[in-house]
PDB file of all heavy atoms in Angstrom:
ATOM      1  N   ALA A1335     192.889 359.757 201.282  1.00  0.00           N
ATOM      2  CA  ALA A1335     193.802 360.021 200.119  1.00  0.00           C
ATOM      3  C   ALA A1335     195.202 359.485 200.509  1.00  0.00           C
ATOM      4  O   ALA A1335     195.864 358.843 199.658  1.00  0.00           O
ATOM      5  CB  ALA A1335     193.804 361.446 199.810  1.00  0.00           C
ATOM      6  N   ARG A1336     195.690 359.785 201.678  1.00  0.00           N
ATOM      7  CA  ARG A1336     197.033 359.327 202.047  1.00  0.00           C
ATOM      8  C   ARG A1336     197.038 357.788 202.154  1.00  0.00           C
ATOM      9  O   ARG A1336     197.998 357.189 201.677  1.00  0.00           O
ATOM     10  CB  ARG A1336     197.393 359.912 203.400  1.00  0.00           C
ATOM     11  CG  ARG A1336     198.819 359.648 203.864  1.00  0.00           C
ATOM     12  CD  ARG A1336     199.200 360.314 205.131  1.00  0.00           C
ATOM     13  NE  ARG A1336     200.666 360.213 205.374  1.00  0.00           N
ATOM     14  CZ  ARG A1336     201.227 360.592 206.522  1.00  0.00           C
ATOM     15  NH1 ARG A1336     200.479 361.066 207.525  1.00  0.00           N
ATOM     16  NH2 ARG A1336     202.526 360.463 206.697  1.00  0.00           N
ATOM     17  N   TRP A1337     196.014 357.222 202.719  1.00  0.00           N
ATOM     18  CA  TRP A1337     195.999 355.737 202.876  1.00  0.00           C
ATOM     19  C   TRP A1337     195.938 355.025 201.582  1.00  0.00           C
ATOM     20  O   TRP A1337     196.492 353.901 201.414  1.00  0.00           O
ATOM     21  CB  TRP A1337     194.863 355.365 203.765  1.00  0.00           C
ATOM     22  CG  TRP A1337     194.879 353.915 204.211  1.00  0.00           C
ATOM     23  CD1 TRP A1337     193.893 352.955 203.933  1.00  0.00           C
ATOM     24  CD2 TRP A1337     195.850 353.207 204.982  1.00  0.00           C
ATOM     25  NE1 TRP A1337     194.254 351.743 204.505  1.00  0.00           N
ATOM     26  CE2 TRP A1337     195.481 351.878 205.117  1.00  0.00           C
ATOM     27  CE3 TRP A1337     197.110 353.647 205.516  1.00  0.00           C
ATOM     28  CZ2 TRP A1337     196.229 350.945 205.828  1.00  0.00           C
ATOM     29  CZ3 TRP A1337     197.862 352.692 206.201  1.00  0.00           C
ATOM     30  CH2 TRP A1337     197.421 351.358 206.374  1.00  0.00           C
ATOM     31  N   MET A1338     195.276 355.613 200.568  1.00  0.00           N
ATOM     32  CA  MET A1338     195.133 354.879 199.259  1.00  0.00           C
ATOM     33  C   MET A1338     196.504 354.799 198.535  1.00  0.00           C
ATOM     34  O   MET A1338     196.605 354.007 197.640  1.00  0.00           O
ATOM     35  CB  MET A1338     194.164 355.711 198.385  1.00  0.00           C
ATOM     36  CG  MET A1338     192.750 355.559 198.795  1.00  0.00           C
ATOM     37  SD  MET A1338     192.028 353.965 198.370  1.00  0.00           S
ATOM     38  CE  MET A1338     191.852 354.077 196.587  1.00  0.00           C
ATOM     39  N   THR A1339     197.517 355.612 198.935  1.00  0.00           N
ATOM     40  CA  THR A1339     198.812 355.453 198.314  1.00  0.00           C
ATOM     41  C   THR A1339     199.854 355.093 199.332  1.00  0.00           C
ATOM     42  O   THR A1339     201.092 355.107 199.105  1.00  0.00           O
ATOM     43  CB  THR A1339     199.241 356.763 197.624  1.00  0.00           C
ATOM     44  OG1 THR A1339     199.243 357.887 198.629  1.00  0.00           O
ATOM     45  CG2 THR A1339     198.318 357.153 196.509  1.00  0.00           C
ATOM     46  N   ALA A1340     199.408 354.622 200.544  1.00  0.00           N
ATOM     47  CA  ALA A1340     200.391 354.281 201.625  1.00  0.00           C
ATOM     48  C   ALA A1340     200.957 352.841 201.399  1.00  0.00           C
ATOM     49  O   ALA A1340     200.343 352.015 200.695  1.00  0.00           O
ATOM     50  CB  ALA A1340     199.671 354.397 202.935  1.00  0.00           C
ATOM     51  N   PHE A1341     202.047 352.619 202.027  1.00  0.00           N
ATOM     52  CA  PHE A1341     202.702 351.295 201.949  1.00  0.00           C
ATOM     53  C   PHE A1341     202.744 350.711 203.357  1.00  0.00           C
ATOM     54  O   PHE A1341     203.618 350.919 204.176  1.00  0.00           O
ATOM     55  CB  PHE A1341     204.172 351.475 201.432  1.00  0.00           C
ATOM     56  CG  PHE A1341     204.897 350.240 201.155  1.00  0.00           C
ATOM     57  CD1 PHE A1341     206.199 350.322 200.643  1.00  0.00           C
ATOM     58  CD2 PHE A1341     204.339 348.980 201.263  1.00  0.00           C
ATOM     59  CE1 PHE A1341     206.908 349.135 200.328  1.00  0.00           C
ATOM     60  CE2 PHE A1341     205.004 347.833 200.974  1.00  0.00           C
ATOM     61  CZ  PHE A1341     206.340 347.908 200.535  1.00  0.00           C
ATOM     62  N   PRO A1342     201.693 349.870 203.728  1.00  0.00           N
ATOM     63  CA  PRO A1342     201.677 349.282 204.994  1.00  0.00           C
ATOM     64  C   PRO A1342     202.677 348.156 205.110  1.00  0.00           C
ATOM     65  O   PRO A1342     202.927 347.474 204.123  1.00  0.00           O
ATOM     66  CB  PRO A1342     200.256 348.800 205.133  1.00  0.00           C
ATOM     67  CG  PRO A1342     199.826 348.516 203.728  1.00  0.00           C
ATOM     68  CD  PRO A1342     200.496 349.616 202.886  1.00  0.00           C
ATOM     69  N   SER A1343     203.207 347.958 206.287  1.00  0.00           N
ATOM     70  CA  SER A1343     204.171 346.845 206.495  1.00  0.00           C
ATOM     71  C   SER A1343     203.580 345.462 206.410  1.00  0.00           C
ATOM     72  O   SER A1343     204.264 344.484 206.137  1.00  0.00           O
ATOM     73  CB  SER A1343     204.926 347.028 207.784  1.00  0.00           C
ATOM     74  OG  SER A1343     204.034 346.907 208.884  1.00  0.00           O
ATOM     75  N   PHE A1344     202.274 345.401 206.653  1.00  0.00           N
ATOM     76  CA  PHE A1344     201.526 344.161 206.478  1.00  0.00           C
ATOM     77  C   PHE A1344     200.197 344.436 205.943  1.00  0.00           C
ATOM     78  O   PHE A1344     199.241 344.845 206.604  1.00  0.00           O
ATOM     79  CB  PHE A1344     201.464 343.447 207.837  1.00  0.00           C
ATOM     80  CG  PHE A1344     200.889 342.055 207.749  1.00  0.00           C
ATOM     81  CD1 PHE A1344     201.746 340.901 207.628  1.00  0.00           C
ATOM     82  CD2 PHE A1344     199.504 341.751 207.760  1.00  0.00           C
ATOM     83  CE1 PHE A1344     201.281 339.615 207.551  1.00  0.00           C
ATOM     84  CE2 PHE A1344     199.061 340.428 207.707  1.00  0.00           C
ATOM     85  CZ  PHE A1344     199.966 339.406 207.575  1.00  0.00           C
ATOM     86  N   GLY A1345     200.038 344.394 204.592  1.00  0.00           N
ATOM     87  CA  GLY A1345     198.817 344.745 203.923  1.00  0.00           C
ATOM     88  C   GLY A1345     198.602 344.024 202.629  1.00  0.00           C
ATOM     89  O   GLY A1345     199.577 343.829 201.871  1.00  0.00           O
ATOM     90  N   PHE A1346     197.377 343.612 202.339  1.00  0.00           N
ATOM     91  CA  PHE A1346     197.110 342.783 201.161  1.00  0.00           C
ATOM     92  C   PHE A1346     195.797 343.151 200.515  1.00  0.00           C
ATOM     93  O   PHE A1346     194.837 343.517 201.261  1.00  0.00           O
ATOM     94  CB  PHE A1346     197.103 341.291 201.516  1.00  0.00           C
ATOM     95  CG  PHE A1346     198.382 340.811 202.128  1.00  0.00           C
ATOM     96  CD1 PHE A1346     198.632 340.897 203.486  1.00  0.00           C
ATOM     97  CD2 PHE A1346     199.435 340.326 201.321  1.00  0.00           C
ATOM     98  CE1 PHE A1346     199.808 340.524 204.044  1.00  0.00           C
ATOM     99  CE2 PHE A1346     200.643 339.941 201.862  1.00  0.00           C
ATOM    100  CZ  PHE A1346     200.852 340.017 203.211  1.00  0.00           C
ATOM    101  N   LEU A1347     195.693 343.086 199.201  1.00  0.00           N
ATOM    102  CA  LEU A1347     194.376 343.118 198.516  1.00  0.00           C
ATOM    103  C   LEU A1347     194.165 341.689 197.996  1.00  0.00           C
ATOM    104  O   LEU A1347     195.008 341.060 197.382  1.00  0.00           O
ATOM    105  CB  LEU A1347     194.495 344.053 197.267  1.00  0.00           C
ATOM    106  CG  LEU A1347     194.357 345.502 197.506  1.00  0.00           C
ATOM    107  CD1 LEU A1347     194.309 346.212 196.136  1.00  0.00           C
ATOM    108  CD2 LEU A1347     193.172 345.885 198.328  1.00  0.00           C
ATOM    109  N   LEU A1348     192.968 341.204 198.301  1.00  0.00           N
ATOM    110  CA  LEU A1348     192.545 339.810 197.978  1.00  0.00           C
ATOM    111  C   LEU A1348     191.212 339.831 197.353  1.00  0.00           C
ATOM    112  O   LEU A1348     190.389 340.696 197.674  1.00  0.00           O
ATOM    113  CB  LEU A1348     192.515 338.931 199.248  1.00  0.00           C
ATOM    114  CG  LEU A1348     193.834 338.793 200.070  1.00  0.00           C
ATOM    115  CD1 LEU A1348     193.575 338.233 201.445  1.00  0.00           C
ATOM    116  CD2 LEU A1348     194.883 338.064 199.293  1.00  0.00           C
ATOM    117  N   THR A1349     190.944 338.890 196.446  1.00  0.00           N
ATOM    118  CA  THR A1349     189.661 338.668 195.918  1.00  0.00           C
ATOM    119  C   THR A1349     189.142 337.307 196.367  1.00  0.00           C
ATOM    120  O   THR A1349     189.853 336.359 196.570  1.00  0.00           O
ATOM    121  CB  THR A1349     189.643 338.746 194.369  1.00  0.00           C
ATOM    122  OG1 THR A1349     190.449 337.727 193.841  1.00  0.00           O
ATOM    123  CG2 THR A1349     190.050 340.116 193.952  1.00  0.00           C
ATOM    124  N   ALA A1350     187.822 337.230 196.517  1.00  0.00           N
ATOM    125  CA  ALA A1350     187.216 336.007 197.033  1.00  0.00           C
ATOM    126  C   ALA A1350     185.772 335.956 196.482  1.00  0.00           C
ATOM    127  O   ALA A1350     185.160 336.979 196.239  1.00  0.00           O
ATOM    128  CB  ALA A1350     187.253 335.912 198.569  1.00  0.00           C
ATOM    129  N   SER A1351     185.243 334.721 196.463  1.00  0.00           N
ATOM    130  CA  SER A1351     183.813 334.624 196.138  1.00  0.00           C
ATOM    131  C   SER A1351     183.037 335.157 197.316  1.00  0.00           C
ATOM    132  O   SER A1351     183.475 335.141 198.449  1.00  0.00           O
ATOM    133  CB  SER A1351     183.457 333.146 195.903  1.00  0.00           C
ATOM    134  OG  SER A1351     183.494 332.433 197.077  1.00  0.00           O
ATOM    135  N   PRO A1352     181.856 335.726 197.040  1.00  0.00           N
ATOM    136  CA  PRO A1352     181.020 336.267 198.169  1.00  0.00           C
ATOM    137  C   PRO A1352     180.749 335.208 199.257  1.00  0.00           C
ATOM    138  O   PRO A1352     180.751 335.522 200.455  1.00  0.00           O
ATOM    139  CB  PRO A1352     179.742 336.684 197.483  1.00  0.00           C
ATOM    140  CG  PRO A1352     180.150 336.994 196.074  1.00  0.00           C
ATOM    141  CD  PRO A1352     181.262 335.977 195.700  1.00  0.00           C
ATOM    142  N   ASP A1353     180.701 333.891 198.880  1.00  0.00           N
ATOM    143  CA  ASP A1353     180.404 332.866 199.843  1.00  0.00           C
ATOM    144  C   ASP A1353     181.603 332.679 200.804  1.00  0.00           C
ATOM    145  O   ASP A1353     181.396 332.230 201.942  1.00  0.00           O
ATOM    146  CB  ASP A1353     180.176 331.489 199.143  1.00  0.00           C
ATOM    147  CG  ASP A1353     178.807 331.523 198.436  1.00  0.00           C
ATOM    148  OD1 ASP A1353     177.959 332.378 198.745  1.00  0.00           O
ATOM    149  OD2 ASP A1353     178.577 330.635 197.572  1.00  0.00           O
ATOM    150  N   ASN A1354     182.836 333.024 200.323  1.00  0.00           N
ATOM    151  CA  ASN A1354     184.020 332.764 201.208  1.00  0.00           C
ATOM    152  C   ASN A1354     184.483 334.077 201.846  1.00  0.00           C
ATOM    153  O   ASN A1354     185.381 334.033 202.675  1.00  0.00           O
ATOM    154  CB  ASN A1354     185.158 332.232 200.378  1.00  0.00           C
ATOM    155  CG  ASN A1354     184.929 330.785 199.956  1.00  0.00           C
ATOM    156  OD1 ASN A1354     184.294 330.050 200.693  1.00  0.00           O
ATOM    157  ND2 ASN A1354     185.513 330.414 198.856  1.00  0.00           N
ATOM    158  N   ALA A1355     183.835 335.185 201.601  1.00  0.00           N
ATOM    159  CA  ALA A1355     184.356 336.465 202.096  1.00  0.00           C
ATOM    160  C   ALA A1355     184.408 336.511 203.619  1.00  0.00           C
ATOM    161  O   ALA A1355     185.378 336.981 204.199  1.00  0.00           O
ATOM    162  CB  ALA A1355     183.444 337.621 201.515  1.00  0.00           C
ATOM    163  N   ASP A1356     183.310 336.063 204.272  1.00  0.00           N
ATOM    164  CA  ASP A1356     183.332 336.226 205.713  1.00  0.00           C
ATOM    165  C   ASP A1356     184.409 335.371 206.364  1.00  0.00           C
ATOM    166  O   ASP A1356     185.110 335.785 207.333  1.00  0.00           O
ATOM    167  CB  ASP A1356     181.970 335.772 206.330  1.00  0.00           C
ATOM    168  CG  ASP A1356     180.863 336.780 206.095  1.00  0.00           C
ATOM    169  OD1 ASP A1356     181.260 337.933 205.775  1.00  0.00           O
ATOM    170  OD2 ASP A1356     179.643 336.411 206.158  1.00  0.00           O
ATOM    171  N   ALA A1357     184.727 334.208 205.762  1.00  0.00           N
ATOM    172  CA  ALA A1357     185.789 333.358 206.317  1.00  0.00           C
ATOM    173  C   ALA A1357     187.108 334.002 206.152  1.00  0.00           C
ATOM    174  O   ALA A1357     187.989 333.891 207.063  1.00  0.00           O
ATOM    175  CB  ALA A1357     185.758 331.999 205.649  1.00  0.00           C
ATOM    176  N   VAL A1358     187.365 334.670 205.000  1.00  0.00           N
ATOM    177  CA  VAL A1358     188.622 335.367 204.828  1.00  0.00           C
ATOM    178  C   VAL A1358     188.751 336.493 205.798  1.00  0.00           C
ATOM    179  O   VAL A1358     189.782 336.678 206.436  1.00  0.00           O
ATOM    180  CB  VAL A1358     188.670 335.901 203.375  1.00  0.00           C
ATOM    181  CG1 VAL A1358     189.932 336.748 203.199  1.00  0.00           C
ATOM    182  CG2 VAL A1358     188.668 334.740 202.374  1.00  0.00           C
ATOM    183  N   LEU A1359     187.748 337.309 205.968  1.00  0.00           N
ATOM    184  CA  LEU A1359     187.752 338.516 206.903  1.00  0.00           C
ATOM    185  C   LEU A1359     188.083 337.957 208.316  1.00  0.00           C
ATOM    186  O   LEU A1359     188.873 338.573 209.079  1.00  0.00           O
ATOM    187  CB  LEU A1359     186.435 339.193 206.894  1.00  0.00           C
ATOM    188  CG  LEU A1359     186.033 339.893 205.607  1.00  0.00           C
ATOM    189  CD1 LEU A1359     184.638 340.476 205.739  1.00  0.00           C
ATOM    190  CD2 LEU A1359     187.010 341.029 205.234  1.00  0.00           C
ATOM    191  N   GLN A1360     187.505 336.853 208.726  1.00  0.00           N
ATOM    192  CA  GLN A1360     187.615 336.320 210.061  1.00  0.00           C
ATOM    193  C   GLN A1360     189.043 335.884 210.305  1.00  0.00           C
ATOM    194  O   GLN A1360     189.537 336.037 211.490  1.00  0.00           O
ATOM    195  CB  GLN A1360     186.641 335.167 210.347  1.00  0.00           C
ATOM    196  CG  GLN A1360     186.472 334.910 211.826  1.00  0.00           C
ATOM    197  CD  GLN A1360     185.927 336.123 212.571  1.00  0.00           C
ATOM    198  OE1 GLN A1360     184.966 336.790 212.180  1.00  0.00           O
ATOM    199  NE2 GLN A1360     186.612 336.430 213.736  1.00  0.00           N
ATOM    200  N   ARG A1361     189.739 335.348 209.335  1.00  0.00           N
ATOM    201  CA  ARG A1361     191.148 334.887 209.562  1.00  0.00           C
ATOM    202  C   ARG A1361     191.994 336.128 209.990  1.00  0.00           C
ATOM    203  O   ARG A1361     192.887 335.977 210.855  1.00  0.00           O
ATOM    204  CB  ARG A1361     191.695 334.311 208.250  1.00  0.00           C
ATOM    205  CG  ARG A1361     191.035 333.030 207.771  1.00  0.00           C
ATOM    206  CD  ARG A1361     191.283 331.852 208.678  1.00  0.00           C
ATOM    207  NE  ARG A1361     190.601 330.683 208.214  1.00  0.00           N
ATOM    208  CZ  ARG A1361     191.115 329.717 207.383  1.00  0.00           C
ATOM    209  NH1 ARG A1361     192.393 329.865 206.939  1.00  0.00           N
ATOM    210  NH2 ARG A1361     190.411 328.701 206.990  1.00  0.00           N
ATOM    211  N   PHE A1362     191.794 337.291 209.340  1.00  0.00           N
ATOM    212  CA  PHE A1362     192.563 338.439 209.753  1.00  0.00           C
ATOM    213  C   PHE A1362     192.088 339.020 211.112  1.00  0.00           C
ATOM    214  O   PHE A1362     192.911 339.386 211.945  1.00  0.00           O
ATOM    215  CB  PHE A1362     192.476 339.489 208.636  1.00  0.00           C
ATOM    216  CG  PHE A1362     193.207 339.110 207.401  1.00  0.00           C
ATOM    217  CD1 PHE A1362     192.498 338.632 206.336  1.00  0.00           C
ATOM    218  CD2 PHE A1362     194.580 339.283 207.306  1.00  0.00           C
ATOM    219  CE1 PHE A1362     193.175 338.325 205.146  1.00  0.00           C
ATOM    220  CE2 PHE A1362     195.239 338.953 206.189  1.00  0.00           C
ATOM    221  CZ  PHE A1362     194.569 338.453 205.048  1.00  0.00           C
ATOM    222  N   ARG A1363     190.819 339.050 211.297  1.00  0.00           N
ATOM    223  CA  ARG A1363     190.270 339.659 212.525  1.00  0.00           C
ATOM    224  C   ARG A1363     190.621 338.823 213.701  1.00  0.00           C
ATOM    225  O   ARG A1363     190.762 339.405 214.822  1.00  0.00           O
ATOM    226  CB  ARG A1363     188.777 339.877 212.352  1.00  0.00           C
ATOM    227  CG  ARG A1363     188.397 340.915 211.302  1.00  0.00           C
ATOM    228  CD  ARG A1363     186.945 340.953 210.995  1.00  0.00           C
ATOM    229  NE  ARG A1363     186.607 341.979 210.022  1.00  0.00           N
ATOM    230  CZ  ARG A1363     185.422 342.182 209.460  1.00  0.00           C
ATOM    231  NH1 ARG A1363     184.427 341.384 209.780  1.00  0.00           N
ATOM    232  NH2 ARG A1363     185.267 343.113 208.533  1.00  0.00           N
ATOM    233  N   ASP A1364     190.783 337.502 213.538  1.00  0.00           N
ATOM    234  CA  ASP A1364     191.187 336.678 214.627  1.00  0.00           C
ATOM    235  C   ASP A1364     192.586 337.062 215.116  1.00  0.00           C
ATOM    236  O   ASP A1364     192.978 336.750 216.266  1.00  0.00           O
ATOM    237  CB  ASP A1364     191.162 335.224 214.226  1.00  0.00           C
ATOM    238  CG  ASP A1364     189.736 334.648 214.122  1.00  0.00           C
ATOM    239  OD1 ASP A1364     188.818 335.285 214.691  1.00  0.00           O
ATOM    240  OD2 ASP A1364     189.581 333.543 213.594  1.00  0.00           O
TER     241      ASP A1364
END
Side-chain angles (χ1 to χ4, degrees):
R1336 187 179 189 185
W1337 188 241
M1338 287 286 287
T1339 58
F1341 189 179
S1343 63
F1344 190 91
F1346 302 88
L1347 280 187
L1348 302 168
T1349 61
S1351 71
D1353 289 343
N1354 288 332
D1356 285 344
V1358 174
L1359 296 173
Q1360 197 60 46
R1361 297 289 179 94
F1362 290 100
R1363 292 171 180 172
D1364 284 346

